Amino acid sequence: KQEVTQIPAALSVPEGENLVLNCSFTDSAIYNLQWFRQDPGKGLTSLLLIQSSQREQTSGRLNASLDKSSGRSTLYIAASQPGDSATYLCAVLQGGSEKLVFGKGTKLTVNP
Amino acid sequence: DTGVSQDPRHKITKRGQNVTFRCDPISEHNRLYWYRQTLGQGPEFLTYFQNEAQLEKSRLLSDRFSAERPKGSFSTLEIQRTEQGDSAMYLCASSLGRPTSYGYTFGSGTRLTVV
């Protein structure tokens, strides 16, 4: 059974700092990995989608990497801003399936 | 394209009542998914449709839950005889084709509180 773990569970940083969020998964037979952002009481906003054959994807200040063989992904946020404060969720699309398996998320707080 | 739309945004109901939620996917998306998220947890898969066909259901979807997508467009999720444990955020997502290529687009969710 696929399990997705996100570390740390919570992170508080000063504005302007670069930071890394970690995601690990137990079964490397995945189609892709997706990073989402969730604001309190809201739905999920897709940030980056990495196919299993890719190593990384970039969007603005965000960069996500994937090492499928070791079951790890990282989300790098450059020059963090208070508006980046949210919960970041990692999810894998399991091979042979159409369902996402999510981690519990990392709650990020960026202090002005 | 207004994204994935869910209605209502919030629902408070008494234990034992029935509730129904609606999801309107992005118009050209043929796949529609329902997830449930409890406080402090990641979303968990409930069920999904390809057009009007319900292709997979999670064991989380007990007999009190039923989902439909009658014309392959919008979907409804009904919970009968609600219990306090049903309190959660119910999220709908859609995909243009197989999410292997396109990924998911989620709606804003319906927050259910059972009192």
Side-chain angles (χ1 to χ4, degrees):
Chain A
K1 178 187 171 186
Q2 177 74 269
E3 292 184 0
V4 179
T5 302
Q6 291 188 244
I7 294 173
L11 181 63
S12 180
V13 300
E15 182 177 2
E17 193 162 296
N18 302 327
L19 58 101
V20 174
L21 307 181
N22 296 291
C23 171
S24 62
F25 47 94
T26 55
D27 186 345
S28 62
I30 64 169
Y31 284 127
N32 59 45
L33 183 146
Q34 209 164 347
W35 282 93
F36 295 90
R37 170 186 171 135
Q38 187 173 33
D39 293 293
K42 307 290 187 182
L44 278 61
T45 300
S46 180
L47 298 173
L48 290 165
L49 170 68
I50 311 178
Q51 300 294 346
S52 61
S53 58
Q54 296 176 321
R55 297 286 291 185
E56 65 179 281
Q57 282 286 335
T58 298
S59 176
R61 294 183 295 108
L62 305 179
N63 175 277
S65 69
L66 174 64
D67 184 342
K68 198 178 80 160
S69 60
S70 68
R72 296 178 188 275
S73 175
T74 61
L75 179 67
Y76 174 83
I77 302 176
S80 58
Q81 303 170 357
D84 294 331
S85 298
T87 295
Y88 291 81
L89 292 157
C90 162
V92 298
L93 184 64
Q94 191 61 33
S97 168
E98 294 211 8
K99 54 189 176 187
L100 288 173
V101 179
F102 283 84
K104 294 183 179 182
T106 293
K107 183 176 180 181
L108 173 65
T109 303
V110 181
N111 301 300
Chain B
D1 178 0
T2 57
V4 178
S5 178
Q6 292 189 245
D7 184 70
R9 292 294 310 277
H10 302 277
K11 178 72 177 180
I12 300 174
T13 191
K14 292 183 178 180
R15 190 174 55 184
Q17 297 294 306
N18 298 343
V19 294
T20 300
F21 311 139
R22 176 177 170 130
C23 172
D24 287 89
I26 294 172
S27 58
E28 65 268 28
H29 286 192
N30 67 352
R31 280 164 159 83
L32 186 147
Y33 308 83
W34 286 99
Y35 282 75
R36 181 173 70 183
Q37 185 180 26
T38 53
L39 207 59
Q41 303 295 314
E44 294 177 291
F45 171 82
L46 292 178
T47 189
Y48 93 92
F49 294 84
Q50 181 177 336
N51 299 312
E52 65 274 12
Q54 188 174 20
L55 296 186
E56 188 172 353
K57 294 198 297 185
S58 163
R59 283 174 291 179
L60 293 175
L61 217 63
S62 76
D63 292 346
R64 297 184 298 104
F65 288 71
S66 63
E68 294 183 340
R69 194 183 183 198
K71 297 182 180 178
S73 56
F74 72 91
S75 175
T76 58
L77 177 67
E78 181 184 17
I79 308 174
Q80 297 182 326
R81 304 180 304 281
T82 52
E83 302 173 353
Q84 286 188 322
D86 297 331
S87 295
M89 173 79 87
Y90 290 83
L91 294 161
C92 176
S94 67
S95 180
L96 176 61
R98 295 188 68 202
T100 49
S101 298
Y102 300 97
Y104 283 55
T105 301
F106 277 85
S108 298
T110 293
R111 165 78 60 191
L112 173 66
T113 302
V114 181
V115 297

